[in-house]
Amino acid sequence: MTTTTLAQATTVAQRRSAELEDLIDRDAAAFRILTGDRPTGQLHLGHYFGTLRNRVRLQDLGAEVFVLIADYQVLTDRDTAEHLDEYVTGLVLDYLAIGLDPARTVIFAHSAVPALNQLLLPFLSLVSVPELNRNPTVKDEIAHSRQASVSGLMLTYPVHQAADILFCRANLVPVGQDQLPHLEITRVIARRFSERYGPVFPVPDALLSAAPLLLGTDGTKMSKSRGNTIPLSATADETARLIRGAQTDSERHISYDPADRPAVSSLVLLAALALDRDPREVAAGVGGGGAAALKQLVATAVNDLLAPVRARRAEYERDLGYVRQVLRDGNQRASEIAAATLAEVRTAMGMTY
Ligand code: TRP
């Protein structure tokens, strides 16, 4: 996909997503949803407003939700996965704290689901090397990788991601724009499998959420690897301190102007998201109060919003045995589903001896 076709794919996915939102409103239970995170660090406010609260919304509307911890996928752009245990536990804590309910939502790690991983083999046979080489998100990740050479996993992980999605026959995948090429490969694999062997998999849709572009405290993209995030697990004091240290600009009057004043506008947007208000109104309310007043407003808004999340997180932190059990139960449930799917795949392929 070239840049233009990625833009076109985004427009198509946006239109389709609006239709899907209508269908979800009418009958959320018709959807099996799969989303996931790489355990490469702590989840932060960008994740919260971009995807996490959307998962809780979909769960609460009655959709069946699967949340994947994509631990193998950590190894795409680095040789070893550091602090896996800590990050995986942190993810589960955050999921529980924001309101994902393990009675309704399956939380699992793909490394713990052998039959899911085995789907990678037939799926690899359904895609060509040029198709893998063309993936714009993978190309971008290769360009930014600090590794001396590209690993086989980097090139093929989108196919593994298809296994993440198709093992449970998810029909809806909430994603950001960068994941659209991976979802396209998943759709291609589902269709080709049906053509060659018969219908086993649905062709899943992307649900593109209008993820707000929050910048980090240094005024660049908020990202785990840049160390400029506000983690969900931060205390109220740490959060206030991080926000006080955030970059602004020299103009005193606060306005919402993302193109010309990205850092200030990102803080305004953060307050607006936390308060569920319009960013222009928030900016007008601060006006001549300047950056200090804006930061005070942001810190209070974020801390008020996160207070109940933090309280729940602290409770679960005192019961890590329960947290581990949630993951083990999720792994078990995912494994049962994956084994049933793999059995169907092997039957369809004539591999039952
Ligand atoms: N690639 C996703 C990310 O980097 C994580 C992921 C792995 C995923 N498997 C998935 C997302 C399946 C959606 C569906 O954030």
Side-chain angles (χ1 to χ4, degrees), residues 179-200:
Q179 299 293 303
L180 286 178
H182 302 348
L183 204 75
E184 196 43 44
I185 292 206
T186 303
R187 291 163 60 85
V188 163
I189 288 172
R191 281 197 213 98
R192 287 189 190 153
F193 191 94
S194 296
E195 281 158 21
R196 274 185 214 180
Y197 305 110
V200 172

Side-chain angles (χ1 to χ4, degrees), residues 34-38 68 70 73 157 161 164-165 173 175 179:
L34 184 130
T35 66
D37 303 292
R38 293 182 186 186
L68 156 75
Q73 219 179 83
Y157 87 80
Q161 191 156 324
D164 291 338
I165 295 167
V173 187
V175 284
Q179 299 293 303

Side-chain angles (χ1 to χ4, degrees), residues 1 5-14 16-17 135-137 158 161 165 173-188 204-209:
M1 252 194 268
T5 57
L6 183 56
Q8 282 161 356
T10 306
T11 312
V12 172
Q14 272 163 348
R16 177 76 183 130
S17 295
N135 187 305
T137 297
Q161 191 156 324
I165 295 167
V173 187
V175 284
Q177 189 192 346
D178 64 319
Q179 299 293 303
L180 286 178
H182 302 348
L183 204 75
E184 196 43 44
I185 292 206
T186 303
R187 291 163 60 85
V188 163
D205 271 303
L207 183 68
L208 203 57
S209 50

Side-chain angles (χ1 to χ4, degrees), residues 230 235-245 295 299 303 310:
I230 302 171
T235 64
D237 283 349
E238 283 163 357
T239 302
R241 191 171 45 75
L242 288 169
I243 291 168
R244 268 199 306 276
K295 287 174 176 179
N303 281 334
R310 288 181 180 136

Side-chain angles (χ1 to χ4, degrees), residues 290-306:
L294 173 62
K295 287 174 176 179
Q296 185 57 49
L297 177 72
V298 176
T300 306
V302 168
N303 281 334
D304 286 351
L305 178 79
L306 290 185

